[in-house]
Amino acid sequence: MSYGYIGSMKAKPGYRDDVVDILLSGADGLRTVGCDLYVVSVSDTDDDTIWVSEVWQSKEKHDASLQLPETRAAIGKAMPMLTGEFTSQEVTVVGGLGV
Amino acid sequence: MSYGYIGSMKAKPGYRDDVVDILLSGADGLRTVGCDLYVVSVSDTDDDTIWVSEVWQSKEKHDASLQLPETRAAIGKAMPMLTGEFTSQEVTVVGGLGV
């Protein structure tokens, strides 16, 4: 079964959309390294929280992607705009619609 | 932009897979009522928690689906197997890979 990751990050006030842009800019390239789904969303209940729901062919492919130069560059760009408040869930994707 | 829902539910010990089966049994039918993505996952850190990540064409279509007879029947079937511990996030889907 696929590996799933569900996480949130809090942007500093006024920076949420800049972080979203960074996340989206790399999304298309993830398919070639084993990502099947990368959904970027913003909270409907506060102005700063970003949610990412991901499905990968394996945890190994997910973890390896974090070492890619373009991913490290994106993380480096986004970090100063984030408060450091994260939540994360690692899950096993069982199935559904669209996966 | 699409409506997203990220939620978790805790099954009573030993009932997680039964609840997962109920969730999956209705998944395919959701496409016809405006659901674009319905991902059912199980936590990698405990044996009882189920995660659902959903993308809908609108909040209205999501909410309307909860009134469908088959959805109400599924909820009725699953509820006795759940502890009542839920988390839920309503989000606006901005984009990404696969959405």
Side-chain angles (χ1 to χ4, degrees), chain A residues 3-4 6-7 20 24 27-31 35-45 51-53 55 89-99, chain B residues 3-4 6-7 20 24 27-31 35-45 51-53 55 89-99:
Chain A
Y3 167 81
I6 301 169
V20 164
L24 290 180
D28 286 338
L30 296 177
R31 190 180 295 284
C35 184
D36 293 327
L37 196 63
Y38 187 84
V39 182
V40 181
S41 307
V42 292
S43 170
D44 284 352
T45 53
W51 285 86
V52 181
S53 296
V55 174
Q89 301 291 336
E90 293 191 293
V91 297
T92 296
V93 177
V94 184
L97 179 68
V99 278
Chain B
Y3 167 81
I6 301 168
V20 163
L24 290 180
D28 286 339
L30 295 178
R31 190 181 296 282
C35 184
D36 293 326
L37 197 63
Y38 186 85
V39 182
V40 180
S41 307
V42 292
S43 169
D44 285 352
T45 52
W51 284 86
V52 180
S53 297
V55 174
Q89 302 290 334
E90 292 191 295
V91 297
T92 297
V93 178
V94 184
L97 178 67
V99 278

